[in-house]
Amino acid sequence: MDTGPVNSATNHLRPTRIGVFGGSFNPIHNGHIRAVNLFMDRLRLDETLLVPSGAPFYKRTYAVPFEHRYRMCQLAAQELPGVSVSDVEENHVSGMYSCDMLAAVKRLHPDAELFFLVGSDVYERVPVWKGIRRIAELATFAAIVRTGNAGAASRMFTLTETAELLKKYGARTVFIQGGRPLSSTAVRAEAEQRRSLDGLVPAVVADYIREHHLYAREGA
């Protein structure tokens, strides 16, 4: 298990390093953007793929279709060098298991070294996922950890235990320090009331949400 940055390789023959960041992105927000930037820097990634899920993980009446979530990711990615958006889950309206999603990415990038980028809350649930051994074969886990709060040390201990547990499946984990709390739920709550999204999402995403009246409650 690693807890620090991955050293950059000077060998030009090293495989392309690709981060795979999946999620509902409902909507993509500045917490995601900060995480992507940290992953890109600390892991020395050549590319990061944002992979919107075929269906939102959290089913709510204000969930928006894939095409809107995909487009918002595209708009955000325009301002992030080395970041692009994958549509591998577009036709999977019920979503895909992570092992199948990573396998689909690997088929598109057979020679790349994959890093599966997740938040620490997601990482804690990994031991009960389907296809853990397959995921471990396909990618290295990279989990971003929030710092600077009262429970940080306790949380890190729990995450380290999870990493040790996953080793029996052959999984390798890198922890990236520096995550900050922000959720899509909080962004939707602001959008629902038609309040400003400044500082919560990229400006181009805020404009898109307003233009398409996403999340807004009628009468708000």
Side-chain angles (χ1 to χ4, degrees):
M1 178 188 66
D2 297 311
T3 58
V6 175
N7 293 329
S8 62
T10 56
N11 185 352
H12 70 283
L13 297 178
R14 71 167 174 80
T16 301
R17 300 162 72 93
I18 297 178
V20 182
F21 193 3
S24 58
F25 297 115
N26 188 34
I28 189 168
H29 56 63
N30 287 346
H32 295 131
I33 304 305
R34 175 174 172 78
V36 166
N37 286 330
L38 283 170
F39 282 132
M40 292 285 288
D41 178 63
R42 299 297 300 280
L43 297 171
R44 311 296 191 204
L45 299 178
D46 299 297
E47 182 181 357
T48 290
L49 295 177
L50 302 176
V51 187
S53 61
F57 297 147
Y58 304 100
K59 305 295 179 64
R60 295 286 191 269
T61 56
Y62 46 64
V64 301
F66 176 89
E67 55 266 26
H68 284 308
R69 294 181 289 111
Y70 180 84
R71 181 57 183 154
M72 286 188 284
C73 285
Q74 282 188 314
L75 291 169
Q78 289 175 2
E79 302 178 1
L80 299 171
V83 178
S84 57
V85 188
S86 171
D87 62 358
V88 297
E89 292 204 35
E90 180 177 13
N91 297 319
H92 294 264
V93 294
S94 298
M96 295 176 72
Y97 287 112
S98 294
C99 57
D100 295 329
M101 181 270 285
L102 286 169
V105 172
K106 187 64 173 179
R107 286 193 293 271
L108 295 172
H109 304 275
D111 299 322
E113 180 181 6
L114 300 185
F115 292 81
F116 189 23
L117 313 180
V118 297
S120 59
D121 54 339
V122 172
Y123 182 74
E124 288 180 347
R125 301 195 295 269
V126 168
V128 300
W129 284 5
K130 175 183 176 180
I132 296 299
R133 293 187 188 278
R134 181 61 174 147
I135 294 174
E137 292 172 357
L138 291 165
T140 295
F141 283 103
I144 194 161
V145 184
R146 296 172 186 170
T147 56
N149 58 61
S154 175
R155 186 68 178 276
M156 194 66 225
F157 179 79
T158 300
L159 294 171
T160 301
E161 286 190 322
T162 300
E164 290 297 321
L165 175 62
L166 290 174
K167 278 185 178 180
K168 71 179 184 180
Y169 299 107
R172 177 172 178 259
T173 302
V174 178
F175 291 121
I176 305 298
Q177 305 281 345
R180 292 181 180 173
L182 178 60
S183 70
S184 293
T185 301
V187 175
R188 292 195 300 266
E190 295 300 298
E192 188 178 50
Q193 298 298 322
R194 301 182 188 274
R195 291 194 284 259
S196 171
L197 300 181
D198 289 350
L200 299 178
V201 300
V204 288
V205 173
D207 290 343
Y208 187 90
I209 290 172
R210 284 192 294 268
E211 178 184 351
H212 294 274
H213 309 290
L214 302 181
Y215 311 115
R217 178 188 297 174
E218 290 186 13

